[in-house]
Amino acid sequence: MVVSVLEEMRIRSLGVIEDAVVELSPGFTAVTGETGAGKTMVVTSLGLLLGGRADPGLVRIGTKSASVEGRITLGADAPAAVRAEEAGAELDDGALLISRTVSAEGRSRAFVGGRSVPVGLLGELADELVAVHGQTDQQGLLRPARQREALDRYAGDAVAVPLAKYAAAYRRVREVAGELDELTTRARERAQEADLLRFGLEEVAAAEPLPGEDADLAAEAERLGHAEALASAAALAHAALAGNPEDPEGVDAGMLVAGAQRALEAVRSHDPALAVLSDRIGEIGILLGDVAGELAGYADDLDADPRRLAAVEERRAVLAHLTRKYGDTIDSVLSWAEQGAARLGELDGDDERIEELTAERDALRAELGDLGQALTDARTEAAERFAAAVTAELAQLAMPHARVGVALRQTEDAEGIEVGGRRVAFGATGADEVELQLAPHPGAPPRPIAKGASGGELSRVMLAVEVVFAGSDPVPTYLFDEVDAGVGGKAAVEVGRRLAKLARSAQVVVVTHLPQVAAFADRQLLVEKTNDGSVTRSGVRVLEGEERVRELSRMLAGLEDSELGRAHAEELLAAAREAR
């Protein structure tokens, strides 16, 4: 299996850190230093490097921006390496270079493998690479949702598979419920819309308009209103073309054209050009005859009956009533009627749609009940194993008589889904409410860890949970920020021992103030300030030999050169080496 390791981080202008390099290694690394020296900035830096929220307040006063750079070794087929390469990043001799900058104005930029990337990609990589736990995570573990997430994570595919199916069915039932609510709550509005559509469609159907009828009637009304003038003009034009029967001596256009053609016919054989002109004059004569005939027919067909004009105007009034209400023209009225009929069909089909959606909703709720039952069964089985595993870890953390339990319960709800023969409330993750409980000693009733665990006990519960996770769903690197808060004495030694055990299969970095924990580390880093209150490049040092003894002595007795403290520090180191 390819192991990923966070090799180093360089931090510039972040909080009290001016410019420092944090050199890390496989195994267990402890980060120590005086209170306020900037140890927590190590956790903050890694959080930024892995997609955490960019807080401009972290930028060192007097500088324009803060930056964090990290180098993580990866195998070529590691999921994080594949995802990074998909984003265009390049590995540097098997290592992935990640950097994040935050400006004093709050702007943030991220780079992976030399390529500018969205900050969200850092979060994706973080899921594969590092688990960060600080004191806020302990408080997070108190929330029921986080406890359910922890159990589901431990259960693995046994919960993940039915949960994915449940989530899909839940989304669909929400969509169906929303559509049903829309249909039922707006029933009155839709009924009013249907009545208006029905009335309008009946008006249009009663009038029986034809496509383009309004334009045709407008033209006919114009013609009928000027029938006398049209007839007189047609008669005069006909006389000019074909002659007036009452004036046999009169000259008309037809006679003149015929005379012109006769004049050319006598000589057309002498010149082809003139023959062409003669033919064209003949064509004119034919055209004049046709027009004269049509003019005569027009005059004969012209209807000057005032009753017809009245009928046309009456019909136009009917059509005008439709165009005032439903469209500018009869064609647009007919288009409105077509669309209105389709919409009325939808509205009239609402009852059927409501029945269909109700049936689908009921079927989905039944499916949710089955899937919810499968989730409950899988969680119940995983809860027993999870509780036993965490309890076993607590026994190794100086809590030998403590018992951890995982309680699953549902809330009855008449409108809920059926799980276990009862109607219960449900949500996006099922019907189960998950609660971690702790009985710290025999005879003590199990109580929610939010109420029954002290600060030190909560720290150990969280560490036990993480060690259990390391065996079932490991990540390459774990970073703990004072996970030992509230712990001391023998319990602190056991915390160090368990962290050392976790470091056998993963890289573990711990920010700690306890010498009992630091003594178990494979490597100890000291964060120290200069005289001006900043942490510089030389302010994060690897402690070895005598220096490490002095630092552990300071952590134990508050005095670096205390003979008693030094003896105790050496004893701690020896015991830790033997235990490892």
Side-chain angles (χ1 to χ4, degrees):
M1 182 178 70
V2 175
V3 177
S4 301
V5 175
L6 176 63
E7 292 184 340
E8 69 174 26
M9 288 192 301
R10 182 168 187 179
I11 309 166
R12 294 189 183 97
S13 302
L14 189 72
V16 298
I17 300 179
E18 180 181 329
D19 186 353
V21 175
V22 181
E23 296 181 357
L24 302 170
S25 65
F28 180 5
T29 299
V31 181
T32 64
E34 292 278 6
T35 300
K39 301 187 300 297
T40 299
M41 283 296 106
V42 174
V43 180
T44 303
S45 299
L46 187 57
L48 282 174
L49 205 59
L50 296 172
R53 187 176 69 88
D55 181 359
L58 296 173
V59 179
R60 185 172 173 79
I61 296 173
T63 60
K64 295 182 178 179
S65 64
S67 67
V68 183
E69 300 171 1
R71 179 182 178 88
I72 303 175
T73 58
L74 293 173
D77 0 339
V82 174
R83 180 66 186 93
E85 289 176 342
E86 288 175 353
E90 295 182 0
L91 295 181
D92 178 22
D93 193 22
L96 186 63
L97 303 180
I98 302 176
S99 67
R100 178 89 178 274
T101 61
V102 181
S103 72
E105 292 79 26
R107 294 187 299 273
S108 173
R109 297 188 66 187
F111 297 86
V112 175
R115 178 66 61 90
S116 177
V117 298
V119 173
L121 177 63
L122 301 185
E124 292 180 37
L125 298 178
D127 291 339
E128 301 287 343
L129 296 174
V130 180
V132 180
H133 298 284
Q135 296 183 53
T136 55
D137 294 277
Q138 294 185 26
Q139 299 305 313
L141 191 62
L142 301 180
R143 298 199 301 269
R146 283 290 298 276
Q147 295 176 22
R148 179 197 52 75
E149 291 171 4
L151 178 62
D152 288 355
R153 177 184 165 193
Y154 177 79
D157 288 345
V159 165
V161 172
L163 182 57
K165 296 178 182 178
Y166 177 94
Y170 180 79
R171 286 192 297 271
R172 178 56 188 160
V173 82
R174 290 288 298 273
E175 293 171 0
V176 169
E179 190 173 349
L180 269 173
D181 184 63
E182 174 76 9
L183 290 174
T184 53
T185 57
R186 295 187 55 196
R188 178 178 298 177
E189 294 177 18
R190 290 195 308 279
Q192 292 173 346
E193 183 184 358
D195 287 344
L196 289 174
L197 282 173
R198 196 172 288 109
F199 178 80
L201 291 171
E202 288 174 357
E203 277 195 317
V204 173
E208 297 182 343
L210 299 174
E213 184 179 2
D214 52 342
D216 293 341
L217 289 176
E220 186 176 0
E222 183 73 13
R223 187 168 63 252
L224 290 172
H226 300 81
E228 292 184 5
L230 293 173
S232 175
L236 288 174
H238 180 270
L241 295 178
N244 188 344
E246 297 179 359
D247 184 12
E249 300 298 328
V251 178
D252 56 68
M255 294 175 60
L256 294 174
V257 170
Q261 186 178 25
R262 285 194 300 274
L264 295 180
E265 281 294 322
V267 295
R268 63 177 292 159
S269 60
H270 302 305
D271 188 350
L274 200 61
V276 171
L277 293 175
S278 176
D279 291 341
R280 291 175 63 186
I281 291 174
E283 293 173 0
I284 292 172
I286 294 171
L287 182 60
L288 285 173
D290 290 342
V291 173
E294 291 183 17
L295 284 171
Y298 174 83
D300 293 339
D301 294 340
L302 190 62
D303 187 358
D305 187 352
R307 290 175 298 181
R308 174 57 186 166
L309 178 59
V312 168
E313 293 297 350
E314 182 178 352
R315 178 61 175 171
R316 290 185 70 198
V318 171
L319 299 183
H321 175 75
L322 298 181
T323 55
R324 279 196 303 271
K325 297 174 68 175
Y326 308 116
D328 295 333
T329 65
I330 287 300
D331 286 348
S332 61
V333 168
L334 292 172
S335 177
W336 173 87
E338 183 179 356
Q339 296 172 8
R343 174 59 178 161
L344 183 60
E346 293 177 5
L347 294 172
D348 287 342
D350 278 353
D351 290 342
E352 293 181 8
R353 181 59 178 160
I354 288 174
E355 291 179 5
E356 292 174 359
L357 289 172
T358 301
E360 183 180 1
R361 181 200 61 192
D362 293 344
L364 284 169
R365 287 168 68 90
E367 182 183 357
L368 283 177
D370 293 340
L371 291 170
Q373 184 67 62
L375 283 172
T376 297
D377 294 343
R379 284 171 176 155
T380 299
E381 189 276 333
E384 295 178 0
R385 293 187 291 110
F386 183 64
V390 175
T391 296
E393 286 298 325
L394 286 178
Q396 302 298 320
L397 291 170
M399 294 178 68
H401 304 298
R403 294 290 180 271
V404 168
V406 181
L408 269 70
R409 62 175 65 90
Q410 299 84 31
T411 301
E412 292 196 9
D413 184 350
E415 300 300 320
I417 59 175
E418 186 172 339
V419 175
R422 298 182 302 146
R423 287 282 174 185
V424 297
F426 65 103
T429 57
D432 302 315
E433 300 170 19
V434 176
E435 183 179 75
L436 285 180
Q437 297 179 338
L438 175 68
H441 53 81
R447 299 186 64 195
I449 60 172
K451 299 177 181 178
S454 66
E457 289 170 341
L458 183 57
S459 295
R460 282 177 279 176
V461 169
M462 193 185 79
L463 179 57
V465 167
E466 201 55 65
V467 172
V468 169
F469 281 155
S472 61
D473 183 23
V475 294
T477 300
Y478 293 87
L479 178 61
F480 294 96
D481 180 16
E482 298 194 12
V483 70
D484 47 20
V487 176
K490 181 181 177 182
V493 173
E494 294 304 329
V495 168
R497 194 191 310 275
R498 300 315 285 170
L499 288 169
K501 177 184 176 182
L502 180 59
R504 295 173 191 169
S505 58
Q507 181 184 30
V508 176
V509 181
V510 179
V511 176
T512 183
H513 65 281
L514 291 182
Q516 297 94 326
V517 172
F520 277 89
D522 300 303
R523 167 182 282 199
Q524 184 171 346
L525 300 180
L526 174 65
V527 180
E528 56 186 357
K529 291 182 180 180
T530 59
N531 291 332
D532 65 358
S534 67
V535 177
T536 63
R537 173 182 283 273
S538 61
V540 181
R541 298 188 292 113
V542 177
L543 300 181
E544 296 179 351
E546 184 63 22
E547 282 190 320
R548 189 171 184 188
V549 172
R550 285 169 58 85
E551 171 63 7
L552 289 176
S553 176
R554 180 199 64 78
M555 297 171 71
L556 281 163
L559 299 172
E560 296 177 354
D561 296 321
S562 163
E563 288 299 326
L564 184 61
R566 290 172 59 83
H568 193 178
E570 290 173 349
E571 183 182 358
L572 267 179
L573 285 171
R577 280 194 295 270
E578 184 178 347
R580 289 204 303 271

